[in-house]
Amino acid sequence: MSVLIKNGRIITAVDDYFADVYIDKDTVTLIGQNLTMVADTVIDASGKLVIPGGIDPHTHLDMPFGGTYSADDFETGTRAAAFGGTTSIIDFAIQTKGHSTLAGLDTWHSKAEGKAAIDYAFHMIVTDMPDERLPEMSHLADEGVTSYKLFMAYPGVFYSDDATIYRAMRKAGQDGTMVCMHAENGIVIDEIIKGARAEGKTAPIWHALTRPTRMEAEGVHRAIAIAEVAEVPVYIVHLSSADALNEVRRARDRGVTAFAETCPQYLFLDQSYYEKENFEGAKYVMTPALREQWNQAELWKGLQFGDLHAVATDHCPFCFNGQKELGRDDFTKIPNGAPGIENRMALMYNGGANAGRISLNKFVELTSTNAAKTFGMFPRKGTIAVGSDADIVVFDPNHTETISVNNPRTHHMRVDYSTYEGVTVTGFPDIVLSRGKVICDNGEYKGKMGDGRFIKRARYNGILRA
Ligand code: URP
Ligand code: ZN
Ligand code: ZN
């Protein structure tokens, strides 16, 4: 099978030019002007942007959490991602406390294999790491799982103490892998929550009011300090506040290898969403919580000036009916997380590039290239170049949609609400190719369950130190 994409404007993290792209099977093999070769499929991309498929480095599909499971599995979640222009994800496999991380990896392989619509990789969530288990980490790296997530939050669930964090970080550094951190002081936050509950505070807004940004900043500071001593690159996930960002800035100014991602929800939504009537604030209960609106401008600065490296979704959907409702009488029982895997590319184009906040190159860098570089997938993923996987989106900069649970063009996620309900975006993916195969064509799904393959990632190679 061959595909020729003609007359498009190719945008990568560094390029911007008009050319044709020729794809032989699953790989880009030629880029040039006025290519005349015959191809099985010819796509006219006149007036369109031709961009690398999005990479979402933070998703939770089929994840047990808060007494239930996230509502999208690898079939529905990855198909929705594809419709939104994302062609690779890094999901989080989980180590069950007291059990092997390798068993956790097997479990996640069986969740994804034969189901995923797009290519996928795994980070490993470490919940305990005694000395005798440390050799498992080298096996994980050999298997292409070259990053971990540790939690300073959720005591009693995913939480790791500082000794565990240091031990795992030290070994990760020795193995040439990376550590992602959920950086919030969960111990102090739980005390604050205890006080709020004792005073009868039950509404969703208390989710935000019991998680001060200083406790996120403290977590970021501690995570980076421990990583520095353990000599491992650290990546702060779902960074939500200016306080926390300042800690990343300070560390980077000192020359520490620290990276951070933020998410569309922290760029476009704010704490006032928790005040929605009829318990609808529960739809936005996620951790970290949405912040006061003024933080958004600071996060955009972080993206613009390179202290924030990627925009991930932290897609962790729970239906309002039957799942979010579990916390109607107690905000701490609301499952934490929100959907977004399908909306990230359009939101970032509309609110970023189209709004003049970031350049087109930066849009690609933040939604694809930097994730590929940070997590050992570049240049196979994250760019359009000869030899790269043909994960490509033909993106129409003039296509307008209003995101809604009721709009069949914007909602394929298996969840009964949209985090971005009513937001109108200009700029939308028309055609999506995954390894040379058209899987989405103007709202029609052309792929099949199980098209996606596991991405065996390389170890961290310092490519994104600057
Ligand atoms: O609320 C969230 N973010 N749920 C998913 C788990 C996590 O902390 O990333
Ligand atoms: Zn987290
Ligand atoms: Zn997450």
Side-chain angles (χ1 to χ4, degrees), residues 58 60 149-151 153-154 181-184 237-238 287-288 314:
H58 189 152
H60 300 280
K149 184 179 180 189
L150 286 119
F151 289 78
Y154 309 130
M181 185 62 76
H182 181 131
E184 276 187 303
V237 294
H238 48 44
T287 304
D314 193 9

Side-chain angles (χ1 to χ4, degrees), residues 3 5 10-12 21-29 49-56 82 85-89 117-120 345 364 367-369 372 377-385 387-394 431-439 451-453 455:
V3 179
I5 305 174
I10 299 175
I11 311 285
T12 70
V21 181
Y22 182 77
I23 298 159
D24 183 21
K25 299 189 191 70
D26 50 12
T27 307
V28 173
T29 56
L49 308 179
V50 178
I51 60 174
I55 299 175
D56 188 342
T86 288
T87 55
S88 301
I89 58 165
I118 55 171
D119 291 354
Y120 56 93
M345 299 293 282
V364 170
T367 56
S368 181
T369 316
M377 299 186 281
F378 187 84
R380 199 177 134 199
K381 307 285 189 191
T383 193
I384 299 175
S388 295
D389 281 0
D391 293 350
I392 294 179
V393 177
V394 178
I431 298 175
V432 179
L433 294 95
S434 167
R435 273 182 288 99
K437 178 173 173 180
V438 173
I439 54 169
D451 275 343
R453 287 200 206 135
I455 309 165

Side-chain angles (χ1 to χ4, degrees), residues 170-431:
R170 186 99 186 111
K171 174 67 175 153
Q174 286 162 354
D175 284 347
T177 57
M178 303 196 53
V179 170
C180 304
M181 185 62 76
H182 181 131
E184 276 187 303
N185 189 324
I187 301 291
V188 173
I189 286 170
D190 266 16
E191 277 304 300
I192 302 173
I193 288 174
K194 222 185 335 170
R197 285 172 91 188
E199 288 171 16
K201 315 265 170 56
T202 61
I205 182 67
W206 287 96
H207 177 69
L209 298 180
T210 53
R211 308 188 87 89
T213 60
R214 288 308 307 157
M215 289 298 97
E216 186 185 19
E218 188 279 331
V220 171
H221 180 88
R222 185 160 36 104
I224 294 175
I226 300 172
E228 193 177 353
V229 174
E231 296 179 28
V232 67
V234 63
Y235 177 96
I236 307 297
V237 294
H238 48 44
L239 187 141
S240 68
S241 65
D243 267 355
L245 173 59
N246 284 334
E247 295 295 340
V248 174
R249 283 191 181 124
R250 273 185 211 117
R252 288 177 61 79
D253 287 350
R254 274 205 330 276
V256 181
T257 309
F259 307 107
E261 69 179 22
T262 189
C263 310
Q265 53 269 34
Y266 304 119
L267 295 167
F268 299 113
L269 309 178
D270 64 74
Q271 194 175 297
S272 68
Y273 281 67
Y274 294 118
E275 311 270 21
K276 284 186 187 274
E277 287 181 353
N278 302 320
F279 191 58
E280 293 216 18
K283 293 176 176 175
Y284 307 93
V285 167
M286 61 188 76
T287 304
L290 297 177
R291 305 303 192 183
E292 288 175 10
Q293 196 179 23
W294 64 267
N295 286 275
Q296 294 172 2
E298 292 302 311
L299 295 180
W300 281 107
K301 270 190 228 160
L303 294 170
Q304 288 156 349
F305 289 94
D307 290 310
L308 293 175
H309 300 87
V311 177
T313 59
D314 193 9
H315 177 77
C316 190
F318 297 102
C319 288
F320 183 69
N321 291 299
Q323 293 190 298
K324 290 288 186 181
E325 275 180 337
L326 294 168
R328 221 175 238 286
D329 301 322
D330 177 354
F331 71 94
T332 65
K333 299 207 162 58
I334 301 168
N336 283 200
I341 201 167
E342 188 168 354
N343 308 124
R344 181 181 67 119
M345 299 293 282
L347 285 167
M348 287 307 295
Y349 182 84
N350 178 70
N354 217 19
R357 288 180 171 122
I358 53 174
S359 68
L360 286 172
N361 299 115
K362 192 79 179 173
F363 163 67
V364 170
E365 187 184 301
L366 293 172
T367 56
S368 181
T369 316
N370 278 357
K373 287 183 174 176
T374 312
F375 293 114
M377 299 186 281
F378 187 84
R380 199 177 134 199
K381 307 285 189 191
T383 193
I384 299 175
V386 171
S388 295
D389 281 0
D391 293 350
I392 294 179
V393 177
V394 178
F395 192 91
D396 184 349
N398 299 310
H399 179 152
T400 293
E401 291 287 347
T402 297
I403 297 173
S404 168
V405 68
N406 298 312
N407 181 350
R409 285 303 291 267
T410 66
H411 198 94
H412 299 84
M413 297 169 283
R414 192 166 61 188
V415 57
D416 61 1
Y417 74 96
S418 171
T419 312
Y420 304 98
E421 184 69 35
V423 174
T424 297
V425 289
T426 298
F428 203 74
D430 277 2
I431 298 175

